[in-house]
Amino acid sequence: MMPFANSAEGLTALQIEQSRRKYGSNQLTKKKRRGFFSQYIQSFGDPIIKVLLAALAINIIFMFRNFDWYESVGIAIAVFLATFVSTLSEYGSESAFAKLQEEAANVRCRVRRASSVIEVPVADVVTGDIVLLQAGDRIPADGILIEGFVKIDQSALNGESREVSKLSGYDNDKIDFLSRSHLFRGSIVCSGEGVIRVLKVGDETFYGRLACEVQEETRESPLKVRLGQLAKTLSRLGYIAAALVAFADMFLFIFIQNRMNLNGLLLNPQVLFEQILHALTLAITVVVVAVPEGLPMMITVVLSSNMRRMLKDNVLVRKLVGIETSGSLNILFTDKTGTLTRGRMEVTHFITGDNTEYKSVDKLKRNKALWEVVEMSCYFNNESIISGSRVIGGNATDRALMKYVMPSTPTIRSGYKRIQSVLFDSSRKFSAAHIALPDNVRTAAKREFVLVKGAPERLIPFCTRYFDQNGQVRPLPGRLHLEKKIKELAVNAVRVLALAVSDTPVDENGNFSRLILVGLAGIRDEVRPEARAAVQQVCRAGIQVVLITGDNLETAAAIAKETGLIKNGSNGVINSEQLASLSDSEVKKILPKLRVVARALPTDKSRLVRLSQEVGLVAGMTGDGINDAPALKKADVGFSMGSGTEVAKEAGDIVILDDNIASIAKAVLYGRTIFKSIRKFIIFQLTMNLCAVGISVIGPFIGIDTPVTVIQMLWINIIMDTLAGLAFAGEPPLDEYMFEPPKKRGEPVLNRYMLHQILCTGSFTVILLVLFLKVPHMRLLFRYASDNRYYMTAFFAFFIFAGVFNSFNARTYRLNLLSHIKKNVSFIFIMTMVSVVQLLMIYYGGSLFRTAGLTFSELRTVFMIAFIVIPADCIRKLILRLYGRKGTL
């Protein structure tokens, strides 16, 4: 025990310094945030970036004979932009998150130091401090209550929504959540006032230990797994293509150009060596051209741009890959309070003694005399108070009743004073308030009231009369109809409270007689209006939604039915005790049918996430409490709530600023849109790569050594990498994506439909390019020149415009290529600018781009030939549909 532990006057400045040196500060140790440069270096670990770096190294080392600095610079720029933009976006997102944490750290608390009360930041609290608490305060450190009585909400720590009473004088209690005196950092004071002595601060608190645990690394995201597979696939294809090109080049040299004169080659090894080097150079060129250097940057751009869009929809993305992972979810574990419900208790029903039900407070107010009694019952028999426009103090039930009458003009209650009260206790199940008018006030109204509220089963047996709509007291017409109504409301997760008036004083023992029933107040945490539609949307997307809540089985099932998670019956509804009795293998068997876990413990959440991942599912978890942090961290994507604890936000990948499941549905939609955008870009880029590699390989065999010059290839790379990446990054989120099943975690980026389009469209375009170069009649369409400059200009223009038209083929599987194109203005703008720049190159490129000005007729011919790729791809799509293989991304 500390030498200053019994100092009720508080610590002196010297004692504060001694305590801080011995026990540490109240700051939580955070994983050191990586600097910008450190994050930038780490971004080079991306699998596609590694392939690009290897290609760049090969290009520099082996192409010393004819150093192709254009290609090398192009790859270097692509790598730099992809890594830099990715780091910048994620670093900026972390900065925004750090700002949220700073705001949370600025919370202050009242402490007694050197016999005076001062306000200090939570981080300045030390072991031994005397902290003063009142309703609404968040407890700054672990400690013991030494004065007063408070009710504490510990749900953020242990998931138990029930408020817990804490009393002073139990110093020897076991230190856990059931303790009668110990309080824990992160809990909230709901009502009462008290003083605590701080026993543990910072990382030594329960809150702090949990905060340290959630800073561990998690498994790779589905996108990183898929990109790793894609990198391997592209590398293999590049090596195979390079080997074929090298073999073809040597075959051409040995068997055609030298007419199989092997002896001559052996006698002249220098020529043979130079040809081998030429073949290797050509092979390396193919590898470099085949590598999609624009892919990492496109992924970064599409993630970053959608991150900004999502922020407008109340979704703060902390980790860029979390967006795409949201679109891959198979199962989503969600809590109830604040996510499916509004997160606050409200009076939703009021039933009078004659079974008249009011679902609207405005209708009840029309019965003025009755409303006055209701108003006084809710206002005076209440531990909460009105402060400005807010209701503070009391428990959730008291605050709901006070809010119910708060907007009213307090005319009738203005003169009454509460002269005595009996506070609510769970053992008594009621509270009472004796109110009266002062003796000097003359009024026709009744001078005294004893207002009683409590559990219906406690009060209704003593009710013999009730207030009718006119405020008149009448005999109560039986109780069966009221009991039936209470059962109906309980099934719908509505908690019922009875309000009554007693003619005689009420003591703490509850000796009631002849109570007058004011009515039954139905209180519940209302389901969000948009929750049902959002849940249906998520379920329709093939994502299994499981409600995990600390509520009892009946309440959880009622909320699940209202939101559409379950239909009739209780299939898929279990409680924590039943879950604990099942082995891991048994849980895995029932997992596909699981819909609700009631009375859930924090360990249940982590266990369910782990088992889901073990059976190959991509698991999402929502949470706001400290107790949710381990599960949020373990999940593939953790959705922490904006109103939640700092530890929960630290553990999550995405922060839902409005605590709304509808925002989670938007995150899923954005994630799916991003993956589709990536696939569209890959179709376009690999199709262009196939064309570039194909014509570069075939060109020498048909008598054209350089069908595309190095500088032209650089422009082609800019189009198919940088500009196309920006164009496809703006693809809009479409509701139809939420009708598709989620992608499997290990599903490759390249699917059969994509390969079909790349091979068919790419091969067809290569054939067109070859025909353009070799068909004699084609040359007659363009002016004659001894150096073929008009003809080769037309070929260059044809290659570019064919690529532009292929971009329209790539962006949709529909026959209508302009579908939803108005929602992607950047695509229209970029492709228009590519065409404009290409026209400028034709007329002003000169010898640099090997171009010469074409006539309008020649230009029109190029457009018409290039346009053929659109009807050709439409025919491909129609053939697929005829065979029942309608493509999808």
Side-chain angles (χ1 to χ4, degrees):
M1 185 67 73
M2 297 164 294
F4 45 77
N6 295 319
S7 175
E9 292 79 21
L11 305 180
T12 64
L14 178 62
Q15 290 172 329
I16 292 169
E17 192 57 37
Q18 290 174 343
S19 176
R20 189 171 283 120
R21 280 201 303 267
K22 185 174 183 179
Y23 300 102
S25 74
N26 202 28
Q27 288 273 19
L28 295 178
T29 300
K30 294 178 183 175
K31 186 177 180 180
K32 187 177 179 181
R33 187 186 174 197
R34 297 193 308 273
F36 183 86
F37 183 72
S38 176
Q39 281 186 254
Y40 179 66
I41 294 300
Q42 190 174 24
S43 66
F44 284 87
D46 183 276
I48 297 291
I49 292 290
K50 289 179 180 178
V51 173
L52 289 179
L53 291 174
L56 179 61
I58 292 171
N59 202 36
I60 293 172
I61 294 169
F62 287 94
M63 301 192 76
F64 57 88
R65 291 176 70 244
N66 296 305
F67 185 63
D68 185 2
W69 68 272
Y70 294 112
E71 187 66 47
S72 300
V73 169
I75 295 175
I77 290 173
V79 169
F80 170 75
L81 288 176
T83 51
F84 184 78
V85 173
S86 172
T87 306
L88 193 65
S89 298
E90 201 153 298
Y91 190 82
S93 177
E94 283 296 310
S95 297
F97 176 70
K99 190 175 180 182
L100 287 178
Q101 288 185 311
E102 286 174 15
E103 290 173 0
N106 288 333
V107 174
R108 304 176 75 83
C109 63
R110 294 181 302 148
V111 296
R112 188 184 296 154
R113 287 179 175 174
S115 300
S116 62
V117 176
I118 60 172
E119 274 196 347
V120 299
V122 166
D124 287 352
V125 172
V126 297
T127 302
D129 255 331
I130 305 298
V131 180
L132 282 61
L133 300 176
Q134 63 183 19
D137 286 348
R138 187 181 292 272
I139 296 171
D142 290 1
I144 189 165
L145 194 68
I146 58 174
E147 293 178 27
F149 165 81
V150 290
K151 285 191 175 181
I152 299 295
D153 177 5
Q154 299 181 150
S155 60
L157 296 168
N158 63 358
E160 176 57 63
S161 58
R162 181 173 56 86
E163 294 172 2
V164 180
S165 297
K166 299 287 184 177
L167 307 169
S168 58
Y170 294 92
D171 294 18
N172 297 321
D173 265 4
K174 182 181 178 182
I175 304 176
D176 58 22
F177 293 118
L178 300 178
S179 166
R180 290 165 290 182
S181 287
H182 286 92
L183 294 90
F184 300 91
R185 178 173 182 163
S187 303
I188 297 173
V189 180
C190 297
S191 62
E193 293 185 349
V195 177
I196 67 167
R197 178 178 291 115
V198 175
L199 301 180
K200 292 183 179 180
V201 294
D203 294 342
E204 294 302 311
T205 62
F206 178 83
Y207 185 109
R209 291 197 300 273
L210 205 53
C212 292
E213 286 178 19
V214 300
Q215 297 188 37
E216 301 171 1
E217 294 300 318
T218 53
R219 68 174 184 170
E220 289 186 337
S221 69
L223 180 61
K224 196 164 186 179
V225 171
R226 291 165 182 158
L227 289 179
Q229 294 171 344
L230 179 63
K232 291 178 183 177
T233 302
L234 293 177
S235 299
R236 289 171 187 162
L237 291 174
Y239 297 146
I240 293 170
L244 289 175
V245 168
F247 174 78
D249 187 65
M250 291 301 295
F251 181 85
L252 179 69
F253 174 73
I254 295 172
F255 293 97
I256 298 178
Q257 292 178 354
N258 284 280
R259 300 178 182 178
M260 295 186 64
N261 185 9
L262 298 177
N263 291 330
L265 291 174
L266 293 174
L267 292 173
N268 194 356
Q270 183 179 354
V271 175
L272 181 61
F273 177 75
E274 286 186 1
Q275 186 57 40
I276 292 172
L277 195 59
H278 179 271
L280 286 174
T281 302
L282 188 61
I284 292 164
T285 304
V286 169
V287 171
V288 172
V289 171
V291 169
E293 57 260 43
L295 180 58
M297 192 184 69
M298 182 271 170
I299 292 172
T300 299
V301 169
V302 74
L303 289 174
S304 300
S305 62
N306 279 278
M307 184 180 74
R308 289 190 294 272
R309 289 187 199 172
M310 293 171 74
L311 191 56
K312 295 177 182 177
D313 286 327
N314 296 307
V315 180
L316 172 63
V317 180
R318 292 192 56 231
K319 298 176 183 175
L320 285 180
V321 293
I323 311 175
E324 192 281 329
T325 307
S326 302
S328 302
L329 283 181
N330 301 113
I331 188 167
L332 173 65
F333 298 102
T334 179
D335 56 1
K336 173 185 75 74
T337 305
T339 308
L340 294 177
T341 64
R342 295 179 186 271
R344 60 180 185 271
M345 300 298 285
E346 297 176 342
V347 177
T348 57
H349 300 71
F350 194 87
I351 298 98
T352 58
D354 59 359
N355 210 28
T356 303
E357 184 172 352
Y358 297 92
K359 293 185 179 180
S360 167
V361 67
D362 293 330
K363 290 184 178 179
L364 181 58
K365 286 179 181 179
R366 292 172 189 170
N367 306 307
K368 188 176 179 182
L370 175 61
W371 171 250
E372 288 175 351
V373 183
V374 173
E375 187 181 358
M376 285 195 293
S377 295
C378 295
Y379 181 81
F380 285 105
N381 192 6
N382 201 310
E383 291 182 49
S384 61
I385 60 172
I386 299 174
S387 176
S389 59
R390 295 173 58 240
V391 175
I392 61 173
N395 57 30
T397 301
D398 281 340
R399 291 192 294 273
L401 291 172
M402 188 64 82
K403 287 176 184 176
Y404 191 61
V405 299
M406 187 175 69
S408 304
T409 305
T411 52
I412 189 69
R413 70 188 188 213
S414 58
Y416 284 90
K417 300 293 180 183
R418 183 164 52 186
I419 57 177
Q420 189 178 354
S421 61
V422 177
L423 297 179
F424 180 84
D425 184 85
S426 56
S427 60
R428 290 193 291 261
K429 292 187 177 181
F430 81 92
S431 66
H434 187 175
I435 63 172
L437 284 167
D439 293 334
N440 60 346
V441 176
R442 295 184 179 182
T443 176
K446 190 170 182 178
R447 299 193 64 82
E448 292 189 16
F449 281 97
V450 178
L451 306 170
V452 187
K453 80 167 186 288
E457 65 272 19
R458 183 75 174 86
L459 301 186
I460 288 181
F462 298 97
C463 293
T464 57
R465 296 165 293 166
Y466 78 99
F467 288 101
D468 67 8
Q469 295 178 357
N470 299 316
Q472 300 297 316
V473 178
R474 299 187 180 277
L476 186 67
R479 303 187 185 97
L480 291 177
H481 63 286
L482 294 175
E483 292 172 359
K484 182 180 178 183
K485 177 59 71 174
I486 291 168
K487 289 179 181 178
E488 288 177 7
L489 293 174
V491 169
N492 292 308
V494 180
R495 182 188 173 196
V496 180
L497 202 66
L499 305 179
V501 173
S502 175
D503 288 332
T504 58
V506 175
D507 58 22
E508 292 186 356
N509 297 321
N511 297 317
F512 306 119
S513 64
R514 290 176 52 78
L515 294 179
I516 308 170
L517 181 67
V518 178
L520 302 176
I523 304 174
R524 74 179 305 211
D525 185 3
E526 278 284 84
V527 170
R528 289 179 178 271
E530 64 275 20
R532 185 177 180 86
V535 167
Q536 287 178 342
Q537 186 183 24
V538 173
C539 292
R540 199 166 52 228
I543 301 171
Q544 179 184 348
V545 180
V546 180
L547 172 61
I548 302 183
T549 176
D551 289 323
N552 61 46
L553 204 66
E554 292 75 19
T555 301
I559 295 296
K561 286 178 183 176
E562 190 168 348
T563 53
L565 277 179
I566 58 175
K567 305 302 179 185
N568 297 321
S570 57
N571 290 335
V573 180
I574 62 173
N575 59 32
S576 179
E577 188 177 343
Q578 293 169 321
L579 184 68
S581 67
L582 300 174
S583 65
D584 284 356
S585 58
E586 289 172 327
V587 174
K588 289 177 182 178
K589 288 179 182 178
I590 69 164
L591 191 60
K593 297 180 181 178
L594 190 63
R595 293 295 178 270
V596 177
V597 180
R599 292 295 185 200
L601 301 174
T603 51
D604 294 332
K605 298 179 179 181
S606 295
R607 184 189 182 199
L608 287 169
V609 169
R610 174 177 59 82
L611 295 178
S612 299
Q613 292 175 338
E614 285 179 7
V615 297
L617 300 178
V618 178
M621 170 65 72
T622 74
D624 56 2
I626 303 166
N627 62 305
D628 296 325
L632 286 169
K633 188 71 175 179
K634 189 183 289 290
D636 292 288
V637 56
F639 298 99
S640 52
M641 300 296 114
S643 63
T645 61
E646 288 71 48
V647 172
K649 292 175 188 174
E650 179 72 42
D653 303 295
I654 292 175
V655 180
I656 304 299
L657 298 176
D658 61 350
D659 298 4
N660 195 338
I661 193 171
S663 296
I664 297 176
K666 290 176 184 175
V668 172
L669 176 57
Y670 276 112
R672 294 190 172 188
T673 302
I674 286 167
F675 190 57
K676 287 182 179 291
S677 297
I678 291 170
R679 281 184 156 176
K680 290 173 184 179
F681 172 73
I682 289 173
I683 289 174
F684 171 74
Q685 189 180 50
L686 294 187
T687 300
M688 291 287 284
N689 279 357
L690 180 58
C691 294
V693 172
I695 199 62
S696 297
V697 172
I698 297 172
F701 287 91
I702 60 176
I704 300 177
D705 196 24
T706 54
V708 181
T709 66
V710 172
I711 194 70
Q712 287 175 347
M713 188 63 77
L714 178 61
W715 169 233
I716 291 169
N717 273 347
I718 289 173
I719 294 172
M720 67 185 184
D721 293 337
T722 310
L723 297 178
L726 294 171
F728 284 102
E731 283 297 288
L734 304 177
D735 290 338
E736 64 189 55
Y737 299 158
M738 296 298 281
F739 288 86
E740 299 174 5
K743 312 297 181 188
K744 294 180 180 178
R745 175 178 167 81
E747 180 176 328
V749 176
L750 282 170
N751 62 16
R752 289 180 61 187
Y753 175 79
M754 294 172 67
L755 287 170
H756 188 273
Q757 182 167 355
I758 292 165
L759 292 174
C760 290
T761 309
S763 300
F764 179 78
T765 307
V766 169
I767 292 170
L768 281 180
L769 292 169
V770 172
L771 291 176
F772 193 100
L773 290 173
K774 293 305 293 180
V775 172
H777 180 70
M778 195 67 66
R779 291 177 179 268
L780 301 177
L781 298 174
F782 304 95
R783 282 170 291 165
Y784 173 77
S786 57
D787 58 357
N788 287 329
R789 63 178 180 273
Y790 298 114
Y791 184 55
M792 295 311 295
T793 299
F795 175 78
F796 177 42
F798 166 59
F799 193 107
I800 297 298
F801 291 131
V804 171
F805 289 131
N806 266 328
S807 70
F808 285 85
N809 290 329
R811 66 169 297 274
T812 181
Y813 63 88
R814 291 180 169 86
L815 294 173
N816 177 13
L817 301 186
L818 301 180
S819 175
H820 303 293
I821 199 167
K822 290 182 180 179
K823 296 179 180 178
N824 189 358
V825 179
S826 61
F827 181 90
I828 301 171
F829 175 77
I830 289 170
M831 290 306 161
T832 301
M833 291 307 298
V834 167
S835 302
V836 169
V837 173
Q838 180 60 34
L839 290 174
L840 292 174
M841 286 183 180
I842 290 172
Y843 294 102
Y844 301 103
S847 59
L848 179 64
F849 283 93
R850 199 181 68 181
T851 58
L854 300 177
T855 65
F856 178 76
S857 176
E858 290 170 335
L859 197 59
R860 183 181 59 191
T861 302
V862 170
F863 268 111
M864 290 174 64
I865 298 172
F867 187 77
I868 294 174
V869 299
I870 285 184
D873 194 62
C874 287
I875 292 170
R876 181 192 65 83
K877 292 173 181 175
L878 281 171
I879 292 172
L880 283 178
R881 295 187 182 204
L882 286 174
Y883 285 94
R885 290 171 55 193
K886 181 180 177 181
T888 181
L889 298 174

